Amino acid sequence: MKTEYPLLKIKDDGNPFVLNIYLFQNRLIGIEEDQAFLQLFEMDDYGTPTEYFYWRYTKTGFSNLLDVKGMAVLPDHPRYKHYRLYMMLAELELKIKKREWRYRLR
């Protein structure tokens, strides 16, 4: 399965962003992306989504939900409950587990 494109793209009413769900290390990662700009999979000049995830993994830990700024989606995020539900449904539909929090490489 090619991992350079989102497995799922979720857009709901009232949300200016789209939630793209990618595969990384055989785990799901959801990223909130702004469709007014290039999305992660469209930025070929800067590398692939997989390369981004590996680069990010060397800098900081991250879990399975990232916001439009690349920060973790925490409970105070306005779409937190929706995104968690979408990730749970993606796990069930795709039969792939979501990524758990991991700290950077040492």
Side-chain angles (χ1 to χ4, degrees):
M1 178 181 293
K2 189 169 170 122
T3 61
E4 306 312 324
Y5 296 99
L7 299 178
L8 295 172
K9 180 181 265 196
I10 301 168
K11 175 77 174 133
D12 60 1
D13 293 336
N15 185 3
F17 304 115
V18 65
L19 180 69
N20 286 328
I21 299 178
Y22 294 91
L23 185 66
F24 174 64
Q25 296 180 336
N26 205 31
R27 294 288 187 259
L28 300 177
I29 298 176
I31 300 184
E32 179 182 63
E33 297 191 69
D34 190 339
Q35 292 183 300
F37 300 96
L38 289 176
Q39 295 174 47
L40 190 58
F41 69 94
E42 298 172 319
M43 293 192 257
D44 295 337
D45 292 345
Y46 301 100
T48 66
T50 301
E51 291 169 335
Y52 167 76
F53 295 134
Y54 277 118
W55 168 82
R56 184 179 170 98
Y57 192 47
T58 65
K59 304 296 178 199
T60 184
F62 65 101
S63 67
N64 60 37
L65 277 172
L66 301 173
D67 70 10
V68 74
K69 296 178 183 175
M71 305 303 291
V73 174
L74 301 173
D76 61 346
H77 186 284
R79 306 296 298 171
Y80 176 77
K81 289 181 182 177
H82 293 93
Y83 290 165
R84 296 224 354 141
L85 175 63
Y86 297 150
M87 290 299 290
M88 183 187 73
L89 294 173
E91 273 187 305
L92 294 172
E93 179 70 26
L94 300 171
K95 295 178 178 42
I96 302 172
K97 292 185 182 218
K98 64 185 177 223
R99 187 175 194 282
E100 298 300 323
W101 180 269
R102 296 284 186 267
Y103 290 101
R104 67 181 181 85
L105 296 172
R106 301 205 191 281

